[in-house]
Amino acid sequence: MIKLNLDCFNLILIESRLNKKSLYSCLLVSKEWCNLVVPILWKKYSWYCNHKESEKKIFNIILSCLSTSSNQFLFDNNIKLPPTIFLKPLSFNYISFCEFPRAGIIDNIKDMIFKDEILNNFDYSTKSNLLEQEIYKLFVSQCKNIKILQWKTSQPLSLFPGAKECFSQLNNLYISIDSVSPNSLYEMIQICRDLNGLMIYNCSQNLPGLISLIDAQKNLKRLSLFKYIKKEYCKELSNAIKRKYNTLNDLCLHSLNIISPSFLTSLINLKNLSIYNYDNDNIRGDIKEFQHYLMISEFSELEYIDFYGLSWFEELAILIEKTKGNILQVIINSINKNAENTGLLIKAISNNCPKINRLYTHIEPKDFIHIKSLLLNCRNLSRIEFDSLNILVNENYNFGDELLNILTEFSPKSLIYISLSGDWKFSTDSFELFFESCRIRNINLLYFGITHESYITRDHMLIIRRYINEGIIKGSNCV
């Protein structure tokens, strides 16, 4: 019998798409197979438990891996570990196989240990902090060359033994900056200089350590700033971003009032731009400043645009006109029902985005005239989502028929996901004609949806149901 080389077999197991159940069956074949499969199972599935009992077993194994000194330290501080943990040495160093745990995983372990204190409303914060410390020390000492870290704890991870071996190959760092001490942040800078992605939470002021962390990165490509409570404009943070103009190609802002937008004009290599505004009423001045800098910026290599809570249709149209035609996705979700220039955006996309495959935007019935050229010029469109601005329309006129007729006549075969606003009235005849055109052209719609459903009747729903049954539509929200 020919024996398969174990290195080859290990590679097959790693690259295969075997599910958890199939991998479990491999455990029973032989000891050699078991030695190969256990690391894969723990790396892929250690944090994905289907129910509480499985999660409890995983947590018990983790606690069983704590060192003798950690166990003694917890005992001395009156922290009682569950009697179900293993007292004998384990067969594998399971911790070394795991992905580094998210903060939520550590919180769940603590909740399991201190469930009685939680039920009785006892103060266990000191004990909780000590247990958290020992668990993080365990993972830092045993996990080597991790690629992703969620640093959302006050624990000084970069100061723990083994930190250099653990974090030196870090690729993506998610950091809650208000939780991290300056000393541990500066120490991380010494270890970690090759980040591709940096996601910053709760940044509310200029922090020298954060600026130094950004400056230290040799090839920072992705930067995200998440929601925070404003204290002051982070001018130095804006300057630090500006200094990364040569490598940064993905920017995501979850607030407009944290940094000056003057850095935008420097990001000449930007490919992905996402801006989310969740506080429209309180930052009108900040919005105006962002609009100004966006209009004078030029991102010729831009591919993905995602805006929420903003009505920058004209600014976005001008920005798109200055690109090289590589845009693949445009999403602009406005909460301002008085927004203007929606048609300008459609025209700009039609004339400058031949490769686009997804579009989400708001339009008015007067913009329907531009949809024909959009469909004719953008033949790679696979997903469109047209929402209304809820502007009052004539209830006696089927505005939706005009749009469906254009889609019927000019849609590319690639267009298989369609969502339209129910604020535009549709006749049942226009539904029939559109779906029949899909049948004739051998197009199977992955999804056909109507938002709001203001004028969608039972007859419309019956038509959609019929075409689903006939295989023309796979999914819809109107059934």
Side-chain angles (χ1 to χ4, degrees):
M1 178 179 175
I2 299 175
K3 188 175 181 179
L4 182 62
N5 181 281
L6 288 180
D7 290 334
C8 293
F9 183 57
N10 188 41
L11 184 61
I12 292 170
L13 286 173
I14 292 172
E15 297 296 329
S16 69
R17 297 186 179 182
L18 291 176
N19 58 29
K20 193 174 184 180
K21 186 177 179 180
S22 299
L23 286 170
Y24 271 133
S25 66
C26 294
L27 290 172
L28 306 176
V29 175
S30 69
K31 185 176 180 179
E32 290 177 330
W33 281 43
C34 182
N35 290 337
L36 294 175
V37 172
V38 165
I40 297 171
L41 276 169
W42 273 79
K43 187 173 183 64
K44 282 188 174 183
Y45 299 108
S46 51
W47 310 132
Y48 300 95
C49 300
N50 296 327
H51 47 77
K52 282 291 182 182
E53 198 57 38
S54 295
E55 184 180 69
K56 186 177 178 181
K57 291 177 181 178
I58 293 287
F59 292 169
N60 280 331
I61 292 176
I62 290 170
L63 294 171
S64 301
C65 294
L66 287 169
S67 67
T68 303
S69 58
S70 287
N71 277 302
Q72 186 62 49
F73 174 79
L74 295 174
F75 179 80
D76 292 344
N77 284 277
N78 199 27
I79 299 173
K80 298 178 181 178
L81 298 180
T84 49
I85 68 171
F86 297 92
L87 300 178
K88 295 181 180 181
L90 299 173
S91 301
F92 296 91
N93 182 4
Y94 295 101
I95 303 300
S96 66
F97 306 145
C98 292
E99 298 285 354
F100 202 88
R102 305 183 304 276
I105 298 294
I106 307 299
D107 289 340
N108 290 342
I109 296 176
K110 293 190 297 180
D111 289 345
M112 182 185 79
I113 298 300
F114 299 114
K115 61 181 178 181
D116 291 336
E117 286 87 343
I118 295 171
L119 289 172
N120 294 293
N121 293 318
F122 292 158
D123 183 8
Y124 63 99
S125 56
T126 301
K127 290 183 178 181
S128 175
N129 186 63
L130 293 176
L131 176 61
E132 180 181 305
Q133 170 188 285
E134 295 308 303
I135 295 174
Y136 272 121
K137 280 185 176 179
L138 171 66
F139 279 96
V140 172
S141 67
Q142 297 301 317
C143 294
K144 309 299 182 186
N145 300 324
I146 68 168
K147 303 300 182 185
I148 301 174
L149 172 64
Q150 287 193 4
W151 196 357
K152 298 182 180 181
T153 173
S154 59
Q155 299 295 335
L157 303 185
S158 57
L159 301 177
F160 289 157
K164 185 174 182 179
E165 292 76 14
C166 183
F167 302 127
S168 62
Q169 302 299 315
L170 205 58
N171 191 265
N172 289 283
L173 174 61
Y174 299 77
I175 182 169
S176 186
I177 201 67
D178 58 338
S179 300
V180 178
S181 70
N183 285 342
S184 54
L185 186 56
Y186 276 115
E187 189 61 33
M188 184 64 83
I189 295 169
Q190 307 310 312
I191 298 172
C192 174
R193 294 175 175 269
D194 291 304
L195 289 177
N196 283 160
L198 177 60
M199 284 55 70
I200 306 167
Y201 295 81
N202 303 322
C203 180
S204 57
Q205 54 189 317
N206 285 313
L207 296 172
L210 176 59
I211 307 305
S212 299
L213 177 66
I214 294 173
D215 283 336
Q217 305 313 310
K218 302 173 185 176
N219 193 32
L220 187 63
K221 295 180 179 180
R222 298 182 301 280
L223 178 66
S224 298
L225 300 178
F226 286 85
K227 193 69 176 174
Y228 80 112
I229 299 174
K230 183 177 181 180
K231 292 183 181 178
E232 62 182 59
Y233 245 162
C234 299
K235 184 177 179 181
E236 290 306 314
L237 178 58
S238 179
N239 291 334
I241 296 173
K242 187 182 297 186
R243 290 192 288 272
K244 292 298 169 185
Y245 73 93
N246 200 37
T247 61
L248 200 62
N249 57 37
D250 188 332
L251 177 68
C252 180
L253 302 176
H254 283 256
S255 177
L256 296 182
N257 58 351
I258 184 172
I259 54 176
S260 167
S262 59
F263 69 89
L264 283 172
T265 56
S266 302
L267 303 184
I268 56 176
N269 294 317
L270 205 63
K271 292 185 178 182
N272 303 338
L273 177 62
S274 302
I275 304 177
Y276 305 104
N277 169 37
Y278 302 105
D279 196 19
N280 190 53
D281 293 333
N282 299 324
I283 56 170
R284 295 188 184 278
D286 299 312
I287 287 179
K288 291 282 188 183
E289 190 177 6
F290 260 88
Q291 284 178 289
H292 166 71
Y293 278 102
L294 196 65
M295 287 187 74
I296 64 175
S297 296
E298 184 171 339
F299 310 131
S300 60
E301 304 297 333
L302 204 58
E303 294 180 1
Y304 295 91
I305 301 169
D306 190 352
F307 289 177
Y308 174 83
L310 299 164
S311 305
W312 298 350
F313 293 96
E314 181 180 8
E315 291 80 4
L316 196 50
I318 293 171
L319 192 69
I320 288 172
E321 287 171 353
K322 291 183 281 187
T323 63
K324 292 182 178 179
N326 294 320
I327 288 181
L328 301 175
Q329 174 180 293
V330 175
I331 298 175
I332 179 164
N333 192 341
S334 173
I335 56 176
N336 179 10
K337 302 309 176 185
N338 297 313
E340 299 177 344
N341 301 312
T342 51
L344 282 179
L345 178 60
I346 297 294
K347 290 172 66 177
I349 293 171
S350 173
N351 294 329
N352 299 279
C353 305
K355 300 178 182 179
I356 189 169
N357 56 55
R358 183 184 178 187
L359 172 62
Y360 179 106
T361 186
H362 297 265
I363 57 176
E364 303 176 55
K366 67 179 182 181
D367 301 325
F368 291 172
I369 191 173
H370 305 305
I371 303 300
K372 174 182 175 181
S373 58
L374 174 75
L375 298 174
L376 288 174
N377 294 340
C378 306
R379 303 304 288 178
N380 292 315
L381 271 170
S382 62
R383 177 170 179 166
I384 58 168
E385 296 158 273
F386 292 144
D387 205 351
S388 71
L389 292 170
N390 289 332
I391 296 174
L392 293 177
V393 295
N394 185 350
E395 294 184 7
N396 297 317
Y397 185 77
N398 294 335
F399 283 100
D401 285 4
E402 181 182 349
L403 180 57
L404 268 184
N405 289 339
I406 294 171
L407 290 170
T408 299
E409 190 169 351
F410 301 107
S411 290
K413 285 191 173 184
S414 59
L415 186 57
I416 58 173
Y417 189 110
I418 298 173
S419 177
L420 307 175
S421 173
D423 291 332
W424 308 314
K425 196 174 181 182
F426 300 91
S427 69
T428 54
D429 287 344
S430 67
F431 265 42
E432 290 274 8
L433 286 171
F434 175 70
F435 295 134
E436 279 302 315
S437 74
C438 291
R439 186 205 303 278
I440 292 170
R441 293 188 298 153
N442 292 319
I443 295 176
N444 295 319
L445 294 176
L446 183 65
Y447 179 84
F448 181 86
I450 301 291
T451 60
H452 313 308
E453 303 181 26
S454 303
Y455 298 106
I456 298 301
T457 66
R458 177 174 172 75
D459 288 338
H460 290 92
M461 294 181 183
L462 288 173
I463 292 172
I464 292 174
R465 168 56 64 187
R466 174 157 51 87
Y467 282 96
I468 288 177
N469 292 338
E470 294 176 6
I472 305 300
I473 308 170
K474 187 172 182 179
S476 175
N477 66 326
C478 299
V479 291

Coordinates of all heavy atoms in Angstrom, one line a residue, residues 241-251 262-272 296-303 322-324:
I241 N -2.1 61.2 8.4 CA -2.7 60.6 7.3 C -2.2 61.1 6.0 O -1.9 60.4 5.0 CB -4.3 60.8 7.3 CG1 -4.8 60.1 8.6 CG2 -4.9 60.2 6.1 CD1 -6.3 60.3 8.8
K242 N -2.0 62.4 5.9 CA -1.4 63.1 4.7 C 0.0 62.5 4.4 O 0.3 62.3 3.2 CB -1.3 64.6 5.0 CG -0.9 65.4 3.8 CD -0.8 66.9 4.1 CE -2.1 67.5 4.5 NZ -2.0 69.0 4.7
R243 N 0.7 62.2 5.4 CA 2.1 61.7 5.2 C 2.1 60.3 4.6 O 3.1 59.8 4.1 CB 2.9 61.7 6.5 CG 3.3 63.1 6.9 CD 4.3 63.1 8.1 NE 3.8 62.7 9.3 CZ 3.2 63.4 10.2 NH1 3.0 64.7 10.0 NH2 2.8 62.9 11.4
K244 N 0.9 59.6 4.7 CA 0.8 58.2 4.1 C 0.2 58.3 2.7 O -0.3 57.2 2.2 CB -0.1 57.4 5.0 CG 0.6 57.1 6.4 CD 1.9 56.3 6.2 CE 2.7 56.2 7.4 NZ 4.0 55.6 7.2
Y245 N 0.3 59.4 2.0 CA -0.3 59.5 0.7 C 0.2 58.5 -0.3 O -0.5 58.1 -1.2 CB 0.0 61.0 0.2 CG 1.4 61.2 -0.3 CD1 1.8 61.0 -1.6 CD2 2.4 61.6 0.6 CE1 3.1 61.2 -2.0 CE2 3.7 61.7 0.2 CZ 4.0 61.6 -1.1 OH 5.3 61.7 -1.5
N246 N 1.4 58.1 -0.2 CA 2.0 57.2 -1.2 C 1.5 55.8 -1.1 O 1.5 55.1 -2.1 CB 3.5 57.3 -1.1 CG 4.2 56.8 -2.3 OD1 3.8 57.1 -3.4 ND2 5.3 56.1 -2.2
T247 N 1.1 55.3 0.1 CA 0.7 53.9 0.3 C -0.8 53.7 0.5 O -1.3 52.7 0.2 CB 1.5 53.3 1.4 OG1 1.2 54.0 2.7 CG2 3.0 53.3 1.2
L248 N -1.4 54.7 1.1 CA -2.8 54.6 1.5 C -3.7 54.6 0.3 O -3.7 55.5 -0.5 CB -3.2 55.8 2.4 CG -4.4 55.6 3.3 CD1 -4.2 54.5 4.3 CD2 -4.8 56.9 4.0
N249 N -4.5 53.5 0.2 CA -5.5 53.4 -0.9 C -6.9 53.0 -0.5 O -7.8 52.9 -1.3 CB -5.0 52.4 -2.0 CG -4.8 51.0 -1.5 OD1 -5.5 50.5 -0.6 ND2 -3.7 50.3 -2.0
D250 N -7.1 52.9 0.8 CA -8.4 52.6 1.3 C -8.7 53.4 2.6 O -8.0 53.2 3.6 CB -8.5 51.1 1.6 CG -9.9 50.6 2.0 OD1 -10.7 51.4 2.5 OD2 -10.2 49.4 1.8
L251 N -9.7 54.3 2.5 CA -10.0 55.2 3.6 C -11.5 55.0 4.0 O -12.3 55.1 3.2 CB -9.7 56.6 3.3 CG -10.0 57.7 4.4 CD1 -9.1 57.5 5.6 CD2 -9.9 59.1 3.8
S262 N -8.5 68.4 5.1 CA -7.5 69.0 4.2 C -6.6 67.9 3.6 O -6.0 68.0 2.5 CB -6.7 70.0 4.9 OG -6.0 69.5 6.0
F263 N -6.5 66.7 4.3 CA -5.6 65.7 3.9 C -6.1 65.0 2.6 O -5.3 64.3 1.9 CB -5.4 64.6 5.0 CG -6.7 63.8 5.3 CD1 -7.0 62.7 4.6 CD2 -7.6 64.3 6.2 CE1 -8.1 61.9 4.8 CE2 -8.8 63.6 6.4 CZ -9.0 62.4 5.7
L264 N -7.4 65.1 2.3 CA -8.0 64.4 1.2 C -7.3 64.7 -0.1 O -7.1 63.8 -0.9 CB -9.5 64.8 1.1 CG -10.5 64.2 2.0 CD1 -11.8 64.8 1.9 CD2 -10.5 62.7 1.9
T265 N -6.9 65.9 -0.3 CA -6.2 66.3 -1.6 C -4.9 65.6 -1.8 O -4.4 65.6 -2.9 CB -6.0 67.8 -1.7 OG1 -5.3 68.3 -0.5 CG2 -7.4 68.5 -1.7
S266 N -4.3 65.1 -0.7 CA -3.0 64.4 -0.8 C -3.1 63.0 -1.2 O -2.1 62.4 -1.7 CB -2.3 64.5 0.5 OG -2.1 65.9 0.9
L267 N -4.3 62.3 -1.1 CA -4.4 60.9 -1.2 C -4.5 60.5 -2.7 O -5.6 60.0 -3.1 CB -5.5 60.3 -0.4 CG -5.4 60.7 1.1 CD1 -6.6 60.0 1.9 CD2 -4.1 60.2 1.7
I268 N -3.4 60.6 -3.4 CA -3.5 60.5 -4.9 C -3.7 59.1 -5.3 O -4.0 58.8 -6.5 CB -2.2 61.1 -5.5 CG1 -1.0 60.4 -4.9 CG2 -2.2 62.6 -5.3 CD1 0.3 60.9 -5.5
N269 N -3.4 58.1 -4.4 CA -3.5 56.7 -4.8 C -4.8 56.0 -4.3 O -4.9 54.8 -4.3 CB -2.3 55.9 -4.4 CG -1.0 56.4 -5.1 OD1 -1.0 56.6 -6.3 ND2 0.1 56.6 -4.4
L270 N -5.7 56.8 -3.8 CA -6.9 56.2 -3.1 C -7.7 55.4 -4.1 O -8.0 55.9 -5.2 CB -7.7 57.4 -2.5 CG -8.6 57.0 -1.4 CD1 -7.8 56.5 -0.2 CD2 -9.5 58.2 -1.0
K271 N -8.1 54.2 -3.7 CA -9.0 53.3 -4.5 C -10.3 53.1 -3.9 O -11.3 52.9 -4.6 CB -8.3 52.0 -4.7 CG -7.1 52.0 -5.6 CD -6.5 50.6 -5.9 CE -5.3 50.7 -6.8 NZ -4.8 49.3 -7.1
N272 N -10.4 53.1 -2.6 CA -11.7 52.9 -1.8 C -11.9 54.0 -0.9 O -11.1 54.4 -0.1 CB -11.6 51.6 -1.0 CG -11.3 50.4 -1.9 OD1 -11.5 50.4 -3.1 ND2 -10.8 49.3 -1.2
I296 N -12.4 69.5 -4.7 CA -11.1 69.9 -5.3 C -10.1 68.7 -5.3 O -9.0 68.9 -5.7 CB -10.5 71.1 -4.5 CG1 -10.2 70.7 -3.1 CG2 -11.4 72.3 -4.7 CD1 -9.5 71.9 -2.3
S297 N -10.5 67.6 -4.7 CA -9.6 66.4 -4.7 C -9.7 65.6 -6.0 O -10.7 65.8 -6.8 CB -10.0 65.4 -3.6 OG -9.8 66.0 -2.3
E298 N -8.7 64.9 -6.3 CA -8.6 64.1 -7.5 C -8.1 62.7 -7.2 O -6.9 62.5 -6.8 CB -7.8 64.7 -8.6 CG -7.8 64.0 -9.9 CD -7.1 64.8 -11.0 OE1 -6.9 66.0 -10.9 OE2 -6.7 64.1 -12.0
F299 N -9.0 61.7 -7.3 CA -8.6 60.3 -7.0 C -8.8 59.5 -8.3 O -9.8 58.8 -8.6 CB -9.5 59.7 -5.9 CG -9.6 60.5 -4.7 CD1 -10.9 60.8 -4.1 CD2 -8.5 61.0 -4.1 CE1 -11.0 61.5 -3.0 CE2 -8.6 61.8 -2.9 CZ -9.9 62.1 -2.4
S300 N -7.8 59.6 -9.1 CA -7.9 59.0 -10.5 C -8.0 57.5 -10.5 O -8.6 56.9 -11.4 CB -6.7 59.5 -11.3 OG -5.5 59.0 -10.8
E301 N -7.5 56.8 -9.5 CA -7.5 55.4 -9.4 C -8.7 54.8 -8.6 O -8.8 53.6 -8.4 CB -6.2 54.9 -8.7 CG -5.0 55.3 -9.4 CD -4.8 54.8 -10.8 OE1 -5.4 53.8 -11.1 OE2 -4.2 55.5 -11.6
L302 N -9.7 55.7 -8.3 CA -10.8 55.3 -7.4 C -11.6 54.1 -8.0 O -11.9 54.1 -9.2 CB -11.7 56.5 -7.2 CG -12.6 56.5 -6.0 CD1 -11.7 56.4 -4.7 CD2 -13.4 57.8 -5.9
E303 N -12.0 53.2 -7.2 CA -12.7 52.0 -7.6 C -14.0 51.8 -6.8 O -15.0 51.4 -7.4 CB -11.9 50.7 -7.5 CG -10.7 50.7 -8.4 CD -9.9 49.4 -8.2 OE1 -10.2 48.6 -7.4 OE2 -8.8 49.3 -8.9
K322 N -13.3 62.9 -12.7 CA -11.8 63.0 -12.7 C -11.1 61.7 -12.5 O -9.9 61.7 -12.3 CB -11.4 64.0 -11.6 CG -11.8 65.5 -11.8 CD -11.3 66.4 -10.7 CE -12.2 66.4 -9.5 NZ -11.8 67.4 -8.5
T323 N -11.9 60.6 -12.6 CA -11.3 59.3 -12.5 C -10.9 58.7 -13.8 O -11.3 59.3 -14.9 CB -12.2 58.3 -11.7 OG1 -13.4 58.1 -12.6 CG2 -12.6 58.8 -10.4
K324 N -10.2 57.6 -13.8 CA -9.7 57.0 -15.1 C -10.7 55.9 -15.6 O -10.3 55.1 -16.5 CB -8.3 56.3 -14.8 CG -7.2 57.4 -14.6 CD -5.9 56.7 -14.5 CE -4.8 57.7 -14.3 NZ -3.4 57.0 -14.1

